[in-house]
């Protein structure tokens, strides 16, 4: 039976005399996080294998960025869910050395920042590809993509070091100190406000660009200046954009409650003293951690090549990707694009560049001989 704290009596006590607020959810968080870990880790490993195959075969920056997001999600599940919520809280009940607690706290924030900020260069890449395609062909290639991912991961991991001094919101009875204010506001800015602001601006520009192109195509005569290659390209861009919007939207929805509860704890009521804030904080953490396990299902729902590669991995097959040619027929072929060239450009067998619709240029067409 749970003993509810008497808020009237607690108000007359000193902060150091207050007992920590009770967890009204009982063992439900342990069951939830155990299930999330058992599902999320295998699913993310499967996602990483599938994305690695797609990245090696197509050399597209999209799959490298998604692979970085998946790797960061695995780190978040291991440090935050397994070590933080299950091992420390459920098994040891926080009865471990303080140095261990602070070190794990820094690792949790570093993995969390890496998981979220790996999506930012993906959004920037999609914005440049859709709104500035000529620039994207020049600056987007696998070597540069890997360097960008490396820089983002290093900065994200370094940003977790200051959170070595993060206070335990469940057990700290003293009022928030100036250091707590600085760390909490730095956390919500890094983890939510800044990336969500970038997502909102760039996604709005992407949607506006796609709508403008759609209106332009609707005004043109059907079939004029649009070959089958252009139709397939538009479908690919639409699916890629849908995947990006799904990833960023799910993140914004799942992390919003936790951001609000942390700020509420800072200025209104403490998690330590009010069981209702404690309950809201537990539930918001559950929603936020759900974000580390849902991307696989988003990829399967949107991307047919991803579903095909996942099927090959599960069936222990390693065949080449299935491409569609301009006539709608299936053809098996491997993409051997040079590493310093953007895959958005199409090339013929002799190395000469083809137009965007995949049709030969007038200089390459062979004239018909008349009898």
């Amino acid at each position: 039976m749970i003993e509810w704290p008497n808020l009237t009596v607690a108000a007359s006590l000193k902060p150091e005399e207050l007992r920590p607020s009770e967890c009204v959810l009982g063992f439900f968080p342990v069951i939830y996080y155990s299930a999330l870990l058992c599902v999320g880790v295998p699913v993310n490993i499967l996602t990483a294998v599938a994305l690695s195959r797609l990245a090696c075969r197509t050399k597209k920056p999209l799959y490298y960025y998604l692979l970085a997001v998946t790797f960061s999600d695995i780190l978040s599940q291991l440090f935050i869910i397994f070590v933080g919520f299950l091992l420390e809280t459920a098994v040891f009940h926080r009865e471990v050395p303080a140095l261990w607690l602070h070190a794990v706290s820094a690792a949790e924030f570093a993995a969390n920042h890496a998981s979220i900020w790996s999506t930012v260069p993906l959004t920037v890449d999609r914005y440049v590809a859709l709104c500035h395609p000529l620039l994207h062909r020049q600056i987007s290639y696998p070597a540069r993509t890997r360097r960008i991912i490396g820089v983002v991961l290093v900065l994200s991991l370094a940003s977790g070091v200051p959170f070595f001094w993060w206070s335990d919101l469940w057990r700290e009875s003293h009022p928030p100190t100036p250091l707590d204010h600085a760390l909490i506001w730095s956390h919500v800015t890094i983890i939510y406000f800044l990336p969500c602001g970038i997502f909102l601006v760039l996604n709005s520009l992407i949607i506006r660009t796609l709508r403008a192109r759609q209106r332009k195509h609707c005004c043109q005569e059907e079939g004029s200046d649009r070959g089958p290659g252009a139709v397939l390209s538009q479908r690919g861009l639409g699916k890629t954009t849908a995947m990006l919007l799904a990833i960023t939207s799910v993140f914004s929805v799942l992390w919003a409650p936790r951001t609000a509860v942390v700020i509420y704890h800072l200025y209104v009521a403490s998690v330590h003293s009010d069981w209702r804030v404690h309950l809201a904080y537990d539930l918001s953490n559950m929603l936020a951690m759900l974000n580390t396990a849902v991307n696989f299902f988003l990829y399967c729902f949107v991307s047919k090549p991803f579903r095909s590669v996942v099927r090959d991995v599960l069936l222990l097959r390693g065949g080449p990707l299935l491409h569609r040619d301009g006539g709608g027929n299936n053809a098996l072929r491997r993409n051997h694009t040079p590493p310093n060239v953007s895959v958005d450009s199409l090339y013929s067998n002799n190395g000469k560049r083809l137009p965007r619709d995949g049709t030969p240029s007038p200089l390459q067409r062979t004239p018909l001989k008349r009898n």
Side-chain angles (χ1 to χ4, degrees):
M1 183 175 179
I2 299 174
E3 297 181 0
W4 303 100
N6 190 328
L7 298 181
T8 304
V9 176
S12 62
L13 297 177
K14 296 180 180 180
E16 59 268 19
E17 297 175 349
L18 293 174
R19 292 185 306 167
S21 59
E22 299 287 347
C23 178
V24 300
L25 293 176
F27 287 98
F28 179 73
V30 178
I31 299 174
Y32 173 82
Y33 287 123
S34 300
L36 187 62
L37 193 68
C38 292
V39 174
V41 172
V43 159
N44 278 327
I45 292 176
L46 177 60
T47 304
V49 174
L51 291 175
S52 298
R53 290 193 179 187
L54 287 169
C56 292
R57 293 171 181 176
T58 65
K59 306 299 180 182
K60 289 185 178 181
L62 169 68
Y63 297 121
Y64 288 101
Y65 289 126
L66 295 180
L67 188 60
V69 174
T70 304
F71 173 74
S72 302
D73 285 341
I74 294 176
L75 292 181
S76 298
Q77 290 174 337
L78 293 179
F79 283 111
I80 300 177
I81 299 178
F82 177 69
V83 178
F85 288 119
L86 295 179
L87 195 60
E88 287 184 351
T89 304
V91 177
F92 296 112
H93 302 284
R94 301 274 174 166
E95 299 298 332
V96 293
L99 181 62
W100 167 265
L101 286 175
H102 291 291
V104 171
S105 178
E108 290 174 356
F109 281 97
N112 208 351
H113 295 172
S115 176
I116 292 170
W117 278 90
S118 297
T119 314
V120 174
L122 168 63
T123 309
V124 175
D125 179 80
R126 289 298 88 199
Y127 163 74
V128 176
L130 291 171
C131 301
H132 306 282
L134 296 179
L135 177 63
H136 185 264
R137 294 178 183 179
Q138 299 175 1
I139 66 175
S140 182
Y141 49 88
R144 174 169 289 180
T145 301
R146 289 191 291 266
R147 287 198 296 268
I148 293 174
I149 292 173
V151 171
V152 170
L153 292 180
V154 169
L155 292 178
S156 299
L157 297 178
S159 67
V161 175
F163 295 92
F164 178 87
W165 293 273
W166 179 267
S167 298
D168 189 348
L169 300 186
W170 284 286
R171 294 180 177 271
E172 291 293 342
S173 59
H174 60 77
T177 63
L179 178 60
D180 293 333
H181 280 77
L183 289 177
I184 287 177
W185 274 110
S186 299
H187 171 61
V188 297
T189 301
I190 295 174
I191 211 77
Y192 192 78
F193 291 126
L194 189 56
C196 282
I198 296 174
F199 296 153
L200 179 62
V201 172
L202 295 184
N203 287 340
S204 300
L205 294 175
I206 290 173
I207 293 174
R208 188 181 67 175
T209 301
L210 291 178
R211 287 181 177 177
R213 291 181 181 178
Q214 186 177 9
R215 288 194 298 267
K216 180 179 178 181
H217 289 310
C218 290
C219 294
Q220 294 176 349
E221 293 182 1
E222 185 177 0
S224 62
D225 299 329
R226 295 184 66 188
V231 175
L232 293 176
S233 177
Q234 290 294 328
R235 291 178 181 176
L237 291 177
K239 291 183 178 180
T240 303
T241 305
M243 181 185 298
L244 174 63
L245 294 177
I247 294 173
T248 54
S249 299
V250 169
F251 161 75
S252 301
V253 171
L254 294 181
W255 275 90
R258 186 182 185 277
T259 304
V261 171
V262 170
I263 297 176
Y264 186 87
H265 156 84
L266 186 62
Y267 290 103
V268 181
S270 172
V271 172
H272 178 275
S273 61
D274 194 338
W275 66 269
R276 292 165 295 189
V277 183
H278 193 153
L279 174 62
Y281 193 58
D282 285 337
L283 294 176
S284 63
N285 280 330
M286 292 180 188
L287 283 177
M289 289 299 99
L290 183 62
N291 186 64
T292 62
V294 299
N295 286 339
F296 169 82
F297 304 99
L298 296 178
Y299 304 158
C300 289
F301 181 75
V302 175
S303 176
K304 185 175 180 180
F306 181 80
R307 293 195 300 269
S308 176
V309 175
V310 168
R311 189 183 306 111
D312 291 340
V313 173
L314 293 177
L315 297 177
L316 302 178
R317 296 187 306 199
L321 285 177
L322 186 64
H323 294 271
R324 287 188 178 273
D325 55 17
N329 298 321
N330 294 333
L332 291 176
R333 60 186 181 187
R334 294 186 181 272
N335 191 344
H336 295 285
T337 308
N340 61 342
V341 179
S342 172
V343 295
D344 289 334
S345 303
L346 300 178
Y347 290 83
S348 62
N349 293 331
N350 60 1
K352 294 183 180 180
R353 191 169 180 175
L354 297 178
R356 295 290 293 174
D357 59 357
T359 57
S361 62
L363 296 178
Q364 295 173 320
R365 294 173 181 168
T366 304
L368 298 176
K369 295 182 180 181
R370 297 182 178 178
N371 295 328

